[in-house]
Amino acid sequence: MGFFDLLKRRDVCALLTQVDGPMVEKYRHFRDFLCLNRDALNLMAEIEETFYGGSPFSMGAVRGKVQQLLETTCKLADTLNGVSKGKYRELTAACEGIGREIRASFAAMPSTTSGDLVMPLEAVAPDALSVAGGKATNLATMGNVLGLRVPKGFVVTACALNRFLHESGLSAPIASILERIDVSDPAALEAASETIREMVRHAELPSSVSAALQEAYAALEERTRPSVRIAMRSSTVGEDSEASFAGQFATELNVDRSKLIEAYKSVVASKYSPRAILYRLRYGLEDEDTPMCVAGIEMIDSRASGVLYTVDPSSPTSGEMKISAILGLGEHLVSGEASPDDFFVDRSSLEILRREIRPKRFRLVGGEAGGLHLETIPETETLAPSISDDIVSALARTGKLLEDHFGGPQDVEWAIDEAGALYLLQARPLGIVQNDDSETELPVDFANHPVLLQGSRVVCPGAAPGTVVLADAKDLASLPEDAILVARTASPDYAALVGRVRGIITDVGSVASHLASVVREFRVPALFDTGDATRILRDGDRITLVSGNAAVYEGIIEGLTGVAAAGVGSLQDSPIHRRLRAALDRIAPLNLTDPNAPNFAPEGCRTLHDIVRFAHERIMKEIFFLSEKADGVVSVRLKTNIPLILYCIDLGGGLKEMLTTCDDITSNHLTSIPMLALWNGFTHPGITWAGTINFDMGNLMSIMASSATAEIGGEMPGGDSYAVLSRDYLNLSAKFGYHYANVDVFCGEDDMDVGQNHILLQFSGGVGSFAGRSMRIQFLSAVLGRLGFHLNITGD
């Protein structure tokens, strides 16, 4: 047939493929619904996986998914109304109401810009944590309440930070960047972090904050000395609590008036370093949960400094305190770059039990023009103890006092000035890891694993088999799942890797370092100060770290008990965890389980899951009898060799292209996947259409005639059957003899559609016993179940 002949033919013959009309519109709504239903269930599963997975997550990412789920669920309700001509408008209202409650559970506490911008430490009360942060509040408490000697200083409050971020226009951009951060992508995290830090460092400080900062410094000069040098230290809300934030933020030392504002912004910017962001998320804290306050504290010209642990963290059941000391400023110790002298004190008698004195080469001191530098220690002092026994005893007595006041073991930083006076610089709860003896139980074949390292310092007990990753040998953005990090120093920079490695080993480092504190918090087996781990262990070596034995063994020791896993479940009951739990309470529970129950209605929907369930149940009923509403729709009878009067309605892809009502349509023209499958069953050689009710040509003609009579008003079943078709969809209303059935099938080939594949079947009539029909249904259900279909059958 030529092109113009085809055009002429179309003037009298209608194309079979439907492009518009009520049935097409309803079908499109149905297809949209299936996609929305799939997306809603997937999003719900992803949100639950985030909550129960135990890995760090940003609330921004969760908010994005929850917002997607809300939008998807409300669209799903709208689509149901599109199919049902607005029958379920209350469902949309229910979705919007639940959405408001979920958003309210995510709302952050409003930040205030009013209040004191700067406070002297002498005015900071023990209940000022939300204003002054943990470090400044604890320091003030030691001086103001306990009467202990602490440096003089001031704190730039959370109100000052809020005013800085608000008036500089940084609040919204920072929040936007944090919302999009992918914590599983180290490169992206680093880039986002650097963007925020640059924004903070280059932003202009509001004049009110700048003036308050200058006034506080001038007042400190009056209380101390002219041109006093200060340390600008972080005092984040939540810091020095269960979450120590040890080493996560910058400290600016030996700062004078000219560098005051620059140092303040540097400390604030450090809140957004990659390691600080990851640490915060591991504790389930959002950015607004941890406002950055900054303490300006007079520098102590330290002859010696160090850390007091009121319980030895390497051996918590020993009944000993541990005091680590170095010459010069303590930053050299807590940065993990120095190996200290250690003093062990009996907790009960406060008697010094033993001393471990180490050679000393350098000390960190402040420069006259600002900044810091390393100074060579005179040879006469290299082997002498850093502090006297009297100082050790004074620290031990102070430790007991702090334990009693704060109610638990303490991690205390201290310094001795040139006059021999003891100053307390910081106190925070000490994270204790109990050393279970079972952790050092070794299997029978232990002799087959030579010792590679022995005698180093135990930072956190535990055992970890894994693969050596040398910090200087490869990009640390990508690590094997069983990585054991081996580094030269115990740098706090490695804290960002704590949740991704099984263990840590260093050449140099102290159990008093910031990295050691983080390692203990997250229960990662670690050995520091091994001396030559980076020389002995090679990148890719398979080893077993048994920190309880202070040893590293060659190879993987099978059956070793007490293997520690990174992380301590710190997300449990955290602010992020509680907010997501509140949201999930309005998302996940399914209350509508019985479609026949009185509460199976829009007003009975209490969660988004209820809305999805209700809408799915109702749209299936709305679409189920689609093929019975074929009046006025272009259709064509399928020429068959079986006694079935079947008209086909093509919604697109159900029949071959370009067919019209003037064509003779046979099964060879079918392209619908489910219809072809059904037709192959109808025409299978093993199927006889005269078998079950003893057909012969005589009674076959009788039944077909009775079908025609029934169309006029007779009571016998039978008549025209209709199949609504698309490439992957079939909706069939079949009438044949005594049989009546409705079938709705969706059979998507795309992986995204598989979860929506279904067969709904309703039937009545037929002959044979109930048991016989039940067995056929059971067989059908089993076969379809193995093919991945959900079979829903109703009828007699």
Side-chain angles (χ1 to χ4, degrees), residues 103 161 165 173 266 317 368 433 528 555 568 582 649:
R103 292 187 187 96
L161 173 76
L165 297 180
S266 175
T317 60
E368 292 183 6
V433 182
F528 288 1
V568 295
I649 302 164

Side-chain angles (χ1 to χ4, degrees), residues 660-677:
T660 73
T661 52
C662 297
D663 290 314
D664 290 334
I665 307 300
T666 69
S667 60
N668 293 327
H669 293 105
L670 294 172
T671 56
S672 169
I673 294 171
M675 187 63 203
L676 280 170

Side-chain angles (χ1 to χ4, degrees), residues 368-381:
E368 292 183 6
L372 308 173
H373 67 271
L374 286 176
E375 179 181 88
T376 301
I377 296 174
E379 189 172 346
T380 56
E381 299 179 32

